[in-house]
Amino acid sequence: MSEAGVRVDARSAHVRRVDKTPAAIRAALPADLQSAFDTDFRTALATVADTLDMAPLDRVLRVWWTEALLCLNPEVQTEIEDTRRRIAAGDPTVFGATTTYPYARQRSCSALPLPLCCH
């Protein structure tokens, strides 16, 4: 894996960052995922060429950029999985010290002042 487009965030030295470019995303992926990225990327490019709509390409880059970040930082994925398990087990400490909302005792959202309620 090439280091082009991969950098360490100065604010948190343990998290490796990936530039949001196709080359950097591909370089950050393990070899077994690069061909899937190539396929998705080329399919999105063809769609853009046909429709002149950039949304498919943006979506592919966003999804694969996230995957590249998780591949470079497996401890982040481990933390996400641990948090999901804790939530599923009902652990309220996942959400920090404040787990209640000031209006939680009210029966209806309609009693909330605008803009806290959209109904």
Side-chain angles (χ1 to χ4, degrees):
M1 172 174 58
S2 169
E3 292 296 318
V6 176
R7 62 191 186 284
V8 175
D9 188 338
R11 292 168 294 176
S12 62
H14 68 281
V15 177
R16 297 176 75 195
R17 302 288 181 189
V18 179
D19 290 341
K20 291 183 180 179
T21 65
I25 293 167
R26 188 181 193 285
L29 292 169
D32 61 321
L33 292 179
Q34 288 179 352
S35 64
F37 169 77
D38 293 345
T39 300
D40 287 354
F41 182 72
R42 289 188 176 106
T43 300
L45 282 177
T47 302
V48 169
D50 290 342
T51 65
L52 301 178
D53 178 8
M54 295 293 290
L57 184 59
D58 292 339
R59 188 172 29 261
V60 165
L61 293 176
R62 185 177 59 250
V63 167
W64 282 102
W65 177 74
T66 303
E67 184 68 28
L69 283 174
L70 292 174
C71 288
L72 283 179
N73 299 285
E75 67 281 357
V76 172
Q77 183 64 39
T78 300
E79 185 176 334
I80 291 168
E81 291 165 1
D82 290 345
T83 300
R84 285 182 177 157
R85 277 192 289 276
R86 289 174 55 205
I87 290 170
D91 181 354
T93 63
V94 170
F95 304 106
T98 305
T99 58
T100 60
Y101 189 73
Y103 298 104
R105 288 183 284 248
Q106 294 181 354
R107 292 179 182 225
S108 168
C109 179
S110 63
L112 296 177
L114 297 173
L116 296 175
C117 182
C118 299
H119 302 303

mmCIF file of all heavy atoms in Angstrom, residues 72-89:
data_model
loop_
_atom_site.group_PDB
_atom_site.id
_atom_site.type_symbol
_atom_site.label_atom_id
_atom_site.label_comp_id
_atom_site.label_asym_id
_atom_site.label_seq_id
_atom_site.Cartn_x
_atom_site.Cartn_y
_atom_site.Cartn_z
ATOM 1 N N LEU A 72 -7.275 1.839 7.539
ATOM 2 C CA LEU A 72 -6.030 2.390 8.083
ATOM 3 C C LEU A 72 -6.044 2.491 9.601
ATOM 4 O O LEU A 72 -4.999 2.574 10.231
ATOM 5 C CB LEU A 72 -5.775 3.792 7.514
ATOM 6 C CG LEU A 72 -5.244 3.860 6.109
ATOM 7 C CD1 LEU A 72 -5.071 5.308 5.686
ATOM 8 C CD2 LEU A 72 -3.914 3.132 5.984
ATOM 9 N N ASN A 73 -7.238 2.513 10.187
ATOM 10 C CA ASN A 73 -7.390 2.700 11.629
ATOM 11 C C ASN A 73 -8.302 1.617 12.197
ATOM 12 O O ASN A 73 -9.430 1.893 12.611
ATOM 13 C CB ASN A 73 -7.988 4.090 11.908
ATOM 14 C CG ASN A 73 -7.110 5.199 11.398
ATOM 15 O OD1 ASN A 73 -6.090 5.514 11.981
ATOM 16 N ND2 ASN A 73 -7.502 5.792 10.272
ATOM 17 N N PRO A 74 -7.846 0.363 12.234
ATOM 18 C CA PRO A 74 -8.718 -0.722 12.694
ATOM 19 C C PRO A 74 -9.196 -0.536 14.134
ATOM 20 O O PRO A 74 -10.253 -1.040 14.510
ATOM 21 C CB PRO A 74 -7.856 -1.973 12.546
ATOM 22 C CG PRO A 74 -6.455 -1.495 12.431
ATOM 23 C CD PRO A 74 -6.508 -0.114 11.879
ATOM 24 N N GLU A 75 -8.445 0.228 14.926
ATOM 25 C CA GLU A 75 -8.878 0.460 16.310
ATOM 26 C C GLU A 75 -10.172 1.281 16.365
ATOM 27 O O GLU A 75 -10.966 1.140 17.293
ATOM 28 C CB GLU A 75 -7.770 1.153 17.115
ATOM 29 C CG GLU A 75 -7.442 2.573 16.696
ATOM 30 C CD GLU A 75 -6.566 2.702 15.457
ATOM 31 O OE1 GLU A 75 -6.122 1.696 14.891
ATOM 32 O OE2 GLU A 75 -6.326 3.857 15.062
ATOM 33 N N VAL A 76 -10.412 2.096 15.351
ATOM 34 C CA VAL A 76 -11.654 2.868 15.294
ATOM 35 C C VAL A 76 -12.832 1.922 15.071
ATOM 36 O O VAL A 76 -13.869 2.035 15.721
ATOM 37 C CB VAL A 76 -11.587 3.952 14.195
ATOM 38 C CG1 VAL A 76 -12.931 4.629 13.998
ATOM 39 C CG2 VAL A 76 -10.506 4.974 14.526
ATOM 40 N N GLN A 77 -12.681 0.962 14.150
ATOM 41 C CA GLN A 77 -13.737 -0.012 13.910
ATOM 42 C C GLN A 77 -13.991 -0.843 15.158
ATOM 43 O O GLN A 77 -15.136 -1.121 15.500
ATOM 44 C CB GLN A 77 -13.373 -0.922 12.727
ATOM 45 C CG GLN A 77 -14.457 -1.906 12.367
ATOM 46 C CD GLN A 77 -15.728 -1.238 11.881
ATOM 47 O OE1 GLN A 77 -15.686 -0.254 11.172
ATOM 48 N NE2 GLN A 77 -16.868 -1.772 12.273
ATOM 49 N N THR A 78 -12.940 -1.214 15.862
ATOM 50 C CA THR A 78 -13.101 -1.971 17.103
ATOM 51 C C THR A 78 -13.885 -1.167 18.126
ATOM 52 O O THR A 78 -14.792 -1.689 18.792
ATOM 53 C CB THR A 78 -11.716 -2.350 17.675
ATOM 54 O OG1 THR A 78 -11.033 -3.141 16.708
ATOM 55 C CG2 THR A 78 -11.845 -3.124 18.973
ATOM 56 N N GLU A 79 -13.580 0.118 18.245
ATOM 57 C CA GLU A 79 -14.296 0.982 19.183
ATOM 58 C C GLU A 79 -15.770 1.112 18.793
ATOM 59 O O GLU A 79 -16.650 1.090 19.652
ATOM 60 C CB GLU A 79 -13.641 2.358 19.223
ATOM 61 C CG GLU A 79 -14.239 3.275 20.260
ATOM 62 C CD GLU A 79 -13.505 4.604 20.356
ATOM 63 O OE1 GLU A 79 -12.304 4.666 20.029
ATOM 64 O OE2 GLU A 79 -14.149 5.575 20.747
ATOM 65 N N ILE A 80 -16.056 1.234 17.505
ATOM 66 C CA ILE A 80 -17.442 1.316 17.032
ATOM 67 C C ILE A 80 -18.203 0.051 17.402
ATOM 68 O O ILE A 80 -19.327 0.109 17.906
ATOM 69 C CB ILE A 80 -17.480 1.557 15.507
ATOM 70 C CG1 ILE A 80 -16.984 2.964 15.179
ATOM 71 C CG2 ILE A 80 -18.883 1.328 14.948
ATOM 72 C CD1 ILE A 80 -16.725 3.194 13.704
ATOM 73 N N GLU A 81 -17.583 -1.102 17.155
ATOM 74 C CA GLU A 81 -18.234 -2.374 17.474
ATOM 75 C C GLU A 81 -18.463 -2.518 18.976
ATOM 76 O O GLU A 81 -19.526 -2.986 19.407
ATOM 77 C CB GLU A 81 -17.412 -3.527 16.923
ATOM 78 C CG GLU A 81 -17.430 -3.575 15.407
ATOM 79 C CD GLU A 81 -16.356 -4.477 14.822
ATOM 80 O OE1 GLU A 81 -15.591 -5.101 15.585
ATOM 81 O OE2 GLU A 81 -16.285 -4.544 13.577
ATOM 82 N N ASP A 82 -17.485 -2.111 19.790
ATOM 83 C CA ASP A 82 -17.650 -2.157 21.247
ATOM 84 C C ASP A 82 -18.796 -1.253 21.697
ATOM 85 O O ASP A 82 -19.597 -1.639 22.549
ATOM 86 C CB ASP A 82 -16.361 -1.740 21.954
ATOM 87 C CG ASP A 82 -15.252 -2.765 21.823
ATOM 88 O OD1 ASP A 82 -15.547 -3.917 21.431
ATOM 89 O OD2 ASP A 82 -14.087 -2.405 22.101
ATOM 90 N N THR A 83 -18.886 -0.072 21.120
ATOM 91 C CA THR A 83 -19.954 0.861 21.477
ATOM 92 C C THR A 83 -21.308 0.291 21.084
ATOM 93 O O THR A 83 -22.274 0.382 21.857
ATOM 94 C CB THR A 83 -19.722 2.232 20.808
ATOM 95 O OG1 THR A 83 -18.463 2.746 21.266
ATOM 96 C CG2 THR A 83 -20.830 3.213 21.145
ATOM 97 N N ARG A 84 -21.401 -0.307 19.912
ATOM 98 C CA ARG A 84 -22.668 -0.930 19.487
ATOM 99 C C ARG A 84 -23.086 -2.034 20.440
ATOM 100 O O ARG A 84 -24.264 -2.160 20.789
ATOM 101 C CB ARG A 84 -22.535 -1.489 18.069
ATOM 102 C CG ARG A 84 -22.549 -0.439 17.014
ATOM 103 C CD ARG A 84 -22.460 -1.053 15.640
ATOM 104 N NE ARG A 84 -22.550 -0.021 14.624
ATOM 105 C CZ ARG A 84 -22.089 -0.156 13.404
ATOM 106 N NH1 ARG A 84 -21.513 -1.277 13.022
ATOM 107 N NH2 ARG A 84 -22.205 0.833 12.544
ATOM 108 N N ARG A 85 -22.123 -2.851 20.878
ATOM 109 C CA ARG A 85 -22.439 -3.927 21.829
ATOM 110 C C ARG A 85 -22.931 -3.359 23.160
ATOM 111 O O ARG A 85 -23.878 -3.861 23.743
ATOM 112 C CB ARG A 85 -21.205 -4.808 22.060
ATOM 113 C CG ARG A 85 -21.004 -5.868 20.993
ATOM 114 C CD ARG A 85 -19.945 -6.894 21.409
ATOM 115 N NE ARG A 85 -18.602 -6.337 21.399
ATOM 116 C CZ ARG A 85 -17.838 -6.253 20.316
ATOM 117 N NH1 ARG A 85 -18.291 -6.673 19.165
ATOM 118 N NH2 ARG A 85 -16.628 -5.748 20.383
ATOM 119 N N ARG A 86 -22.280 -2.279 23.613
ATOM 120 C CA ARG A 86 -22.689 -1.662 24.875
ATOM 121 C C ARG A 86 -24.094 -1.075 24.772
ATOM 122 O O ARG A 86 -24.896 -1.194 25.702
ATOM 123 C CB ARG A 86 -21.688 -0.589 25.285
ATOM 124 C CG ARG A 86 -20.354 -1.175 25.739
ATOM 125 C CD ARG A 86 -19.311 -0.127 26.017
ATOM 126 N NE ARG A 86 -19.763 0.868 26.975
ATOM 127 C CZ ARG A 86 -19.291 2.098 27.050
ATOM 128 N NH1 ARG A 86 -18.341 2.508 26.225
ATOM 129 N NH2 ARG A 86 -19.749 2.942 27.945
ATOM 130 N N ILE A 87 -24.406 -0.434 23.655
ATOM 131 C CA ILE A 87 -25.746 0.116 23.463
ATOM 132 C C ILE A 87 -26.770 -1.007 23.439
ATOM 133 O O ILE A 87 -27.815 -0.915 24.088
ATOM 134 C CB ILE A 87 -25.812 0.959 22.177
ATOM 135 C CG1 ILE A 87 -25.001 2.249 22.346
ATOM 136 C CG2 ILE A 87 -27.265 1.275 21.804
ATOM 137 C CD1 ILE A 87 -24.797 3.034 21.059
ATOM 138 N N ALA A 88 -26.483 -2.071 22.701
ATOM 139 C CA ALA A 88 -27.400 -3.210 22.612
ATOM 140 C C ALA A 88 -27.625 -3.850 23.979
ATOM 141 O O ALA A 88 -28.717 -4.343 24.265
ATOM 142 C CB ALA A 88 -26.862 -4.238 21.627
ATOM 143 N N ALA A 89 -26.610 -3.797 24.835
ATOM 144 C CA ALA A 89 -26.724 -4.369 26.180
ATOM 145 C C ALA A 89 -27.415 -3.413 27.148
ATOM 146 O O ALA A 89 -27.647 -3.754 28.304
ATOM 147 C CB ALA A 89 -25.340 -4.745 26.709
#
